[in-house]
Each structure stands twice: as C-alpha cells, then as structure tokens.
C-alpha cells in the first residue's frame, strides 16, 4: 500500500476520484462497495484486498451508512482526516444537490394529486421489498435470529416510537451477546491507521456528547434549526443496517409532527432511488422541503456527522474490537432486529400509503421484477415508476 500523503495534490486527487464515484455509483450500498473496490483497490491500488475487506467489516458493524463510512475510511487511510473529509464531500454532495433541487421543484405541487409522485411511492415498495429479501437471507439464517426479527416486527408495529426501536435494538443485541458470544473468527490481520488514539477518543466523546446535549438545547431554545439538527443527528446515530432502515426513524420524527406530509416524504424517498450516492442524502430532501436549501445542507450535515465521528473514532481500536467474540455476537442480534424493523417499515408507511388498488400492486410487481430479475439500472426503475404513476392516475 502506498504511503499516506497529506499534501494539497493528494487531497484534490481524493476529491476528484470520490466525486466521480458520487456521480456514477447507482444501486445502493452493496453496489457502492463494488465501485469502491474497483476504483481504489484494483485500479489505483491505494490499499490491498485484505485491508479493504477489513475496513468494510468495520463499517458493517457501526451504525450509519456503511458505504459512506468505507469511503471516509479510505480517504483517512490515504491522507488523514482531511482526506476523509474530501472523500465524503465528493461521494455525497452530488446526490445532496440533486435532492435539494428536487425538493425545491416539488414546492407548489399537491403530492396527493400528482400521479408521478404516487408512482415514486410504488418504486419505494419495490426497492424496500428487494432490500428486505436481501438482508433477510444474509442476516437471519437461523431460527434464533428469525425469532429476533419477528420480535422486532411486532414491537415496532404495535408501539410506533423511536424509543421502541432503540429498545428493540438493545434487547436484540443483549440476546445476541448471550447466544452467539462464542461464534467468532479471529484470523484477521492487523491494520494501521494514521489517526492518534487521543483524537479518536475525542471523536467518540463528541459523538455521545451531541446525543445528550442536542435534545437539551432543543428544549431550552425552541429554535427550529436546533430541533432539525437534533432529529437528523439522532436518526443518523441510531441506524444499524444502512439507508433503508433510516426511513422509519425519519418518518416518525417528521410526519406525525406535521413538519412534512406523508405523501411528500415518500415522494422524496422514491426520488432518492434515482440519484447515485448514499441513500442517507434523503435527509437533504427532507431538510429542503422544511427549510429551503439551507435546511437541506443542515440536515445532510447532521445525519452524516455521526457516521464520520464513529468511523474516525473507532479505526485505531478496530483490531481489539473485531477480535472480541462477545461484541460480534451482540452485533449478530442487532442485525436480526434491523431486518424486523425494515419489514415493519415496509408495511407501514410504505405499503399502506402506496398500494391502494389492485393496479398498484400489479405495477409494484413489474417494478420489482425489473429491479431484481431483469437487473435494470435503478434510474430506469424510477423513471418507469413516475411515468407509470402518471398513467395510473389518469386511468383511475
């Protein structure tokens, strides 16, 4: 692996490469990791195969968007913290800008009356169904984890609060710790990262401090921008499983409180499938709908900040963490709960708000087949959904 370089030339190189990835990486987090591997490992040889695999493993264990955290980690390993920032900006800003523009264009439209928006909601049905199947096959292969997923479904649907989801994750993690604490593979090679442990600890302290301080500031100040930052930061801090799982957290933060309508929420979620880059940039759309482009940038910064603090804060300690079988067991339980939370979100609000007629279900089946069996690019699925929704709206 090449030596780390922190000069301006290296930072500009990281920004240019990550921006190109941010403009072309369609297909979700798994596809993003494939793009990263091709660009950073095969073509540029910034790291070897084993180092990349170990970095991916770490990011799968942390809450937040795994592909974004891998990109940040690669930038950090290449050029320190500044390199991580460049990698994050390049990969994320293209979709942030695209979704803010979409939110601005959506103003003045009644989402309930726009057929193409209903089509985007049906796209969300197909995309989340695909995510459910893929994650279930990988993360709940045995009976104990299937049972944990069922527990998460029931609890999340019957008690629809953010606290419920946190409790489900904690309980499932504890059960996973008890069941799988001896289920481990400790053959990983050592990795080195250009971050001091002191700086890493500072990032972790800031991560937890913001979780405590932001809700207090929200109550004391009653400022909209503080409330906005707190909601998105908390959502970004508590999500295990990637962008699709952040949906129920964000929906319950903003729809019941009246900050955004359910129709506009799901329309933006469908639009987020059309742009490359991480799905967490959906937050930029929500922020822009509520408070213009400034709100969009604030929301994007808030939801990604926990991911940045966690990856930078844990990199120097990863060798110790990943060799601990108890931690691995707890994470196996957490991942099973994530599948259950995702299934609950698939039912409500996605299914209940999108599949209203037999024709909607038929169209969702077509979109699902296009995505899963015909393996068409996501942007084609989105365009088809918008056109099909317009046609269905004119017929019904």
């Amino acid at each position: 692996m090449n030596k780390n370089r922190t000069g301006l030339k290296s930072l500009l190189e990281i920004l240019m490469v990550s921006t190109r990835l941010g403009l072309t990486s369609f297909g979700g987090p798994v596809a993003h990791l494939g793009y990263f591997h091709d660009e950073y490992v095969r073509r540029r040889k910034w790291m070897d195969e084993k180092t990349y695999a170990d970095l991916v493993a770490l990011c799968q264990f942390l809450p937040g968007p795994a592909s974004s955290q891998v990109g940040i980690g690669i930038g950090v390993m290449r050029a320190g913290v500044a390199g991580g920032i460049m990698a994050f900006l390049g990969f994320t800003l293209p979709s942030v800008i695209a979704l803010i523009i979409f939110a601005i264009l959506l103003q003045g439209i009644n989402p309930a009356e726009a057929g193409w928006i209903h089509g985007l909601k049906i796209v969300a049905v197909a995309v989340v169904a695909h995510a459910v199947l893929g994650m279930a096959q990988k993360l709940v292969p045995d009976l104990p984890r299937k049972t944990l997923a069922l527990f998460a479904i029931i609890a999340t649907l019957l008690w629809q609060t953010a606290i419920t989801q946190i409790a489900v994750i904690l309980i499932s993690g504890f059960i996973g710790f008890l069941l799988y604490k001896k289920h481990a593979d400790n053959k990983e090679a050592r990795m080195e990262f250009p971050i001091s442990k002191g700086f890493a600890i500072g990032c972790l302290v800031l991560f937890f401090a913001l979780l405590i301080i932001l809700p207090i500031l929200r109550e004391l100040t009653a400022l909209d921008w503080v409330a906005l930052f707190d909601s998105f930061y908390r959502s970004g801090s508590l999500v295990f499983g990637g962008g699709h799982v952040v949906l129920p957290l964000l929906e319950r933060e903003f729809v019941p409180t009246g900050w955004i309508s359910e129709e506009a929420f799901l329309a933006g979620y469908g639009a987020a499938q059309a742009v490359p880059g991480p799905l967490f940039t959906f937050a930029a759309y929500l922020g822009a709908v509520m408070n213009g482009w400034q709100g969009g940038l604030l929301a994007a910064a808030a939801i990604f900040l926990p991911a940045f603090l966690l990856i930078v804060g844990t990199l120097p300690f990863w060798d110790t963490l990943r060799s601990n079988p108890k931690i691995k067991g707890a994470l196996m339980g957490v991942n099973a709960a994530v599948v259950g939370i995702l299934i609950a979100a698939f039912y409500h609000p996605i299914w209940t708000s999108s599949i209203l007629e037999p024709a909607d279900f038929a169209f969702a089946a077509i979109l699902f087949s296009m995505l899963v069996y015909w393996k068409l690019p996501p942007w084609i699925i989105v365009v088809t959904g918008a056109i099909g929704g317009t046609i269905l709206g004119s017929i019904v």
Side-chain angles (χ1 to χ4, degrees), residues 64-369:
S67 60
S68 295
Q69 288 169 317
V70 169
I72 293 169
I74 291 171
V76 168
M77 296 174 70
R78 181 68 174 172
V81 175
I85 294 173
M86 291 297 102
F88 164 74
L89 291 176
F91 185 61
T92 307
L93 276 182
S95 54
V96 166
I97 294 171
L99 289 173
I100 289 176
I101 292 173
F102 177 77
I104 294 173
L105 295 176
L106 191 65
Q107 292 180 2
I109 298 176
N110 184 351
E113 298 177 358
W116 64 273
I117 291 181
H118 181 64
L120 291 180
K121 292 163 64 177
I122 298 177
V123 169
V125 172
V127 170
V128 177
H130 185 209
V132 166
L133 291 175
M135 292 182 67
Q137 291 173 353
K138 180 178 180 181
L139 299 180
V140 288
D142 52 37
L143 183 59
R145 280 180 279 184
K146 285 181 171 67
T147 304
L148 284 176
L150 177 61
F151 158 69
I153 294 170
I154 296 172
T156 305
L157 287 176
L158 295 184
W159 297 281
Q160 298 182 16
T161 67
I163 295 177
T164 299
Q165 294 173 54
I166 297 171
V168 165
I169 288 174
L170 290 176
I171 292 171
S172 299
F174 179 69
I175 295 174
F177 161 78
L178 296 177
L179 294 177
Y180 299 106
K181 57 186 177 181
K182 295 182 179 181
H183 188 281
D185 178 11
N186 298 321
K187 298 180 181 180
E188 293 91 346
R190 292 188 59 82
M191 295 185 293
E192 295 182 2
F193 301 95
I195 304 173
S196 70
K197 289 187 176 181
F199 183 83
I201 292 173
C203 289
L204 293 177
V205 170
L206 181 58
F207 169 79
F208 289 106
L210 288 174
L211 274 179
I212 298 171
I213 294 172
L214 285 173
I216 297 174
L217 288 177
R218 180 175 186 165
E219 294 297 324
L220 293 177
T221 63
L223 296 174
D224 285 346
W225 72 268
V226 174
L228 192 72
F229 196 95
D230 171 53
S231 293
F232 282 109
Y233 182 86
R234 190 160 14 93
S235 296
S237 301
L238 302 175
V239 172
F240 287 86
H244 295 290
V245 184
V246 81
L247 174 66
L249 287 177
L250 293 177
E251 191 270 342
R252 285 162 192 147
E253 283 286 340
F254 299 111
V255 174
T257 57
W259 284 46
I260 187 172
S261 69
E262 192 166 274
E263 291 80 9
F265 181 91
L266 289 173
Y269 183 72
Q273 313 303 319
V275 298
L279 187 57
F280 265 53
T281 54
F282 174 52
Y285 163 84
L286 296 178
V289 169
M290 292 182 282
N291 283 302
W293 65 267
Q294 299 95 331
L297 293 178
L298 181 69
I303 202 167
F304 279 104
L305 180 57
F308 192 92
L309 293 175
L310 283 173
I311 187 65
V312 174
T314 55
L315 281 176
F317 306 103
W318 176 226
D319 276 324
T320 302
L321 290 173
R322 69 193 177 124
S323 64
N324 189 323
K326 296 179 181 179
I327 292 178
K328 285 190 173 182
L331 289 169
M332 290 169 70
V334 167
N335 287 334
V338 163
V339 174
I341 292 172
L342 181 57
I343 294 173
F346 175 70
Y347 173 73
H348 179 77
I350 296 174
W351 181 279
T352 57
S353 300
S354 305
I355 307 303
L356 308 177
E357 304 286 344
D360 294 336
F361 179 81
F363 188 42
I366 293 172
L367 295 174
F368 181 83
S369 298

